């Protein structure tokens, strides 16, 4: 089942919808569940909510999966450049023709210190890092990787699909090489062979593989994957769900 409710994002003083997946028997099973937090919550479950009319199909996948989890999807800011600002942890100068101060660090502070405690209070979660993951695509994939590096005490799993490395590869790589990562974490890293121009795909592939190497050297268990024929879209990310979810959980 999927519940929808509103939350207040304190650093931005904005209300936002959360789409929350729960096992159908969560109130009677007596179980506690791992939790996966995901970006772009409106694109996860229902085609009618998705920005481009196609969701990840996660409700159908989770209903039929042999494991049970809680999935928390927070919808993105749909006003102007709001999504870029919230899902970018670094200042931007000229990327996509824009200059702006990325507020991804503030967003993750809110998610870890306000939203996660709320979910842990209200639902039967397994709150430790080994049972808590974060995932997303494009800017959401980038933020998931950044969260694994900076919030490794909270997240032990990260699904990073089609990461938007173009916006901040150099500072992100420097931080991955600098930070002491928690050993035993798991990361799924993917890119598609038809996401963009051949030059951009080549860059994304090289950056993803270098990320996999850096994380692996620091004790993270990594699954790098190139989706042959994969584009930058929900339909192709949906096709990766069995691979990603079985690796992370």
């Amino acid at each position: 089942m999927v519940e929808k409710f509103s939350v207040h994002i304190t650093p931005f003083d904005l209300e936002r919808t959360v789409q929350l997946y729960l096992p159908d028997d969560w109130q009677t099973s007596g179980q506690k569940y791992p939790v996966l937090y995901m970006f772009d919550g409106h694109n996860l479950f229902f085609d009618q909510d998705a920005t481009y009319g196609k969701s990840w199909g996660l409700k159908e996948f989770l209903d039929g999966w042999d494991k049970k989890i809680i999935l928390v999807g927070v919808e993105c800011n749909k006003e102007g450049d709001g999504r870029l600002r919230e899902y970018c942890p670094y200042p931007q100068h000229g990327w996509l023709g824009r200059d702006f101060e990325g507020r991804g660090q503030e967003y993750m502070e809110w998610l870890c210190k306000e939203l996660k405690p709320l979910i842990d209070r209200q639902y039967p979660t397994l709150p430790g890092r080994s049972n808590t993951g974060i995932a997303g695509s494009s800017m959401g994939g980038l933020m998931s990787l950044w969260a694994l590096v900076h919030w490794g005490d909270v997240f032990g799993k990260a699904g990073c699909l089609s990461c938007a490395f173009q916006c901040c590869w150099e500072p992100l790589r420097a931080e991955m090489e600098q930070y002491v990562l928690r050993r035993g974490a798991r990361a799924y890293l993917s890119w598609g062979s038809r996401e963009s121009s051949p030059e951009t795909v080549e860059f994304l592939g090289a950056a993803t593989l270098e990320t996999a190497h850096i994380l692996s050297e620091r004790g993270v268990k990594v699954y790098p994957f190139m989706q042959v024929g994969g584009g930058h879209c929900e339909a192709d990310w949906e096709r990766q769900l069995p691979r990603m979810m079985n690796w992370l959980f």
Side-chain angles (χ1 to χ4, degrees):
M1 59 181 294
V2 176
E3 293 185 356
K4 296 182 181 182
F5 58 90
S6 181
V7 293
H8 186 74
I9 302 185
T10 304
F12 309 140
D13 195 23
L14 293 172
E15 298 298 310
R16 195 68 51 77
T17 299
V18 170
Q19 298 200 21
L20 179 84
Y21 176 89
L22 295 155
D24 287 337
D25 62 347
W26 73 275
Q27 291 178 302
T28 59
S29 69
Q31 295 183 43
K32 294 188 176 183
Y33 304 96
V35 183
L36 181 63
Y37 292 85
M38 289 191 70
F39 296 90
D40 295 308
H42 54 291
N43 288 335
L44 301 179
F45 301 114
F46 305 113
D47 290 351
Q48 61 265 30
D49 293 338
T51 301
Y52 301 108
K54 175 68 185 80
S55 73
W56 288 56
L58 263 159
K59 184 180 186 302
E60 289 77 11
F61 172 80
L62 292 174
D63 284 347
W65 198 31
D66 61 356
K67 301 166 187 173
K68 293 186 177 182
I69 67 168
I70 293 172
L71 195 152
V72 184
V74 185
E75 296 192 3
C76 76
N77 188 329
K78 301 171 187 176
E79 299 294 326
D81 291 340
R83 179 177 181 272
L84 289 178
R85 295 174 187 273
E86 288 186 8
Y87 288 3
C88 183
Y90 305 99
Q92 293 300 315
H93 303 289
W95 181 57
L96 298 179
R98 300 170 173 88
D99 294 335
F100 61 85
E101 190 70 26
R103 303 189 69 182
Q105 297 187 40
E106 296 171 80
Y107 183 92
M108 286 307 306
E109 285 269 350
W110 167 78
L111 191 151
C112 294
K113 295 184 177 180
E114 295 187 45
L115 179 62
K116 184 179 184 298
L118 174 69
I119 298 298
D120 290 338
R121 285 194 305 270
Q122 295 188 356
Y123 299 96
T125 68
L126 294 167
R129 67 180 292 272
S130 64
N131 288 296
T132 305
I134 189 164
S137 59
S138 192
M139 294 299 292
L142 174 73
M143 284 290 289
S144 299
L145 176 59
W146 189 90
L148 188 70
V149 174
H150 285 261
W151 292 90
D153 58 331
V154 175
F155 303 106
K157 311 169 187 294
C160 314
L161 294 83
S162 302
C163 293
F165 286 122
Q166 306 96 308
C167 78
C168 58
W169 172 238
E170 293 301 329
L172 177 61
R173 177 173 60 183
E175 289 188 340
M176 287 192 291
E177 292 175 339
Q178 171 191 352
Y179 277 64
V180 177
L181 304 184
R182 295 284 294 271
R183 301 187 69 85
R186 302 178 79 86
Y188 175 87
L189 307 166
S190 75
W191 77 103
S193 66
R194 295 186 177 178
E195 289 205 35
S196 185
S197 68
E199 295 78 14
T200 299
V201 169
E202 182 179 4
F203 165 75
L204 291 175
T208 303
L209 292 174
E210 186 169 354
T211 296
H213 176 71
I214 293 170
L215 295 182
S216 181
E217 279 195 326
R218 283 152 180 77
V220 177
K221 298 177 182 179
V222 182
Y223 191 136
F225 174 66
M226 184 188 77
Q227 186 178 29
V228 176
H232 199 83
C233 64
E234 281 70 23
D236 285 321
W237 296 324
E238 179 182 5
R239 293 185 184 100
Q240 297 182 49
L241 282 175
R243 188 184 306 267
M244 180 186 80
M245 296 295 283
N246 285 320
W247 170 252
L248 294 181
F249 293 92

